[in-house]
Amino acid sequence: SQTIHQWPATLVQPVGSPLSLECTVEGTSNPNLYWYRQAAGRGLQLLFYSVGIGQISSEVPQNLSASRPQDRQFILSSKKLLLSDSGFYLCAWSVRPGPAYGYTFGSGTRLTVV
Amino acid sequence: KQEVTQIPAALSVPEGENLVLNCSFTDSAIYNLQWFRQDPGKGLTSLLLIQSSQREQTSGRLNASLDKSSGRSTLYIAASQPGDSATYLCAVRQGTGNTPLVFGKGTRLSVIA
């Protein structure tokens, strides 16, 4: 069966420090991969998505970046965190194509920038 | 640009009541629609998925309907229980399915024992 792993679960980082969040999927190949952020009192905001190795689409210009070094690995990074980067980060995957298939989400990373 | 709206933003009901959560979307050319549940501080759990060609899906006490022409979906929860308390999110997938999900802001449900 397919599973998605996301870590760490919780992270407290000082302003200006770097960030690396990792997401891996097991039990499938060629998934679409996504990074979403959920800020307090706001909805889910799509940050990046990837349809293949090295292919990254950015939805929101900001100081975050994403990479997909392997088929089932998706990494969210920042060189220098801002206070506004605090939030709940969720990774998700979906198969392509297939209207009968939806998204599966990881358990999320709570990031607090202090 | 697709926009998804969920009403109400919050809902409190006594245990045992049947309830309906609403979701509307502006572009009817959807690929599928998915309802999720999110417990505080947790990830999203998929509840039901309705393909664009379907009218409804059922799982246990949950029933989701889809009316593409009017841009609406409803999530019906029968005989609500305190364990149903969570935030419920509606999300739509556009076109041919390669575009990402667009989410509503959710309905926060509290079921009071």
Side-chain angles (χ1 to χ4, degrees):
Chain A
S1 64
Q2 302 96 346
T3 56
I4 180 169
H5 302 281
Q6 196 178 338
W7 67 92
T10 306
L11 194 58
V12 180
Q13 292 284 100
V15 169
S17 64
L19 172 74
S20 180
L21 302 181
E22 189 164 344
C23 173
T24 59
V25 180
E26 296 179 357
T28 188
S29 58
N30 290 324
N32 284 357
L33 296 171
Y34 310 87
W35 278 111
Y36 283 85
R37 178 171 62 197
Q38 190 175 38
R42 300 180 63 180
L44 276 153
Q45 179 187 35
L46 177 67
L47 300 175
F48 301 95
Y49 68 98
S50 172
V51 298
I53 296 174
Q55 301 178 58
I56 308 294
S57 296
S58 174
E59 291 293 303
V60 183
Q62 56 203 332
N63 70 319
L64 299 173
S65 62
S67 61
R68 185 171 177 173
Q70 300 178 41
D71 181 47
R72 290 170 290 175
Q73 184 184 29
F74 204 23
I75 298 172
L76 181 69
S77 304
S78 174
K79 292 182 179 178
K80 289 185 178 182
L81 283 169
L82 306 173
L83 286 174
S84 59
D85 292 323
S86 294
F88 192 48
Y89 289 81
L90 288 157
C91 179
W93 73 273
S94 69
V95 298
R96 42 180 177 119
Y101 299 95
Y103 281 32
T104 300
F105 279 80
S107 54
T109 295
R110 173 74 57 191
L111 172 66
T112 303
V113 182
V114 296
Chain B
K1 180 181 176 182
Q2 178 72 273
E3 292 183 2
V4 180
T5 303
Q6 291 187 248
I7 295 174
L11 181 63
S12 183
V13 300
E15 182 178 5
E17 263 200 17
N18 302 326
L19 60 100
V20 174
L21 306 180
N22 296 294
C23 171
S24 62
F25 45 93
T26 55
D27 186 343
S28 62
I30 66 170
Y31 192 65
N32 59 31
L33 183 145
Q34 207 167 350
W35 282 94
F36 294 89
R37 168 185 173 140
Q38 185 177 29
D39 293 292
K42 305 294 185 183
L44 275 63
T45 300
S46 181
L47 298 174
L48 290 165
L49 181 145
I50 309 178
Q51 300 178 55
S52 61
S53 59
Q54 297 175 327
R55 296 284 299 200
E56 66 176 353
Q57 284 287 324
T58 298
S59 176
R61 295 182 294 108
L62 305 179
N63 176 277
S65 68
L66 174 65
D67 184 342
K68 269 201 337 178
S69 60
S70 66
R72 293 180 182 177
S73 176
T74 62
L75 180 66
Y76 174 83
I77 303 177
S80 58
Q81 304 170 358
D84 295 329
S85 298
T87 296
Y88 291 81
L89 294 155
C90 167
V92 300
R93 199 167 176 185
Q94 287 293 110
T96 57
N98 277 326
T99 53
L101 276 180
V102 177
F103 281 85
K105 292 187 177 181
T107 294
R108 190 172 66 254
L109 173 66
S110 297
V111 181
I112 310 301

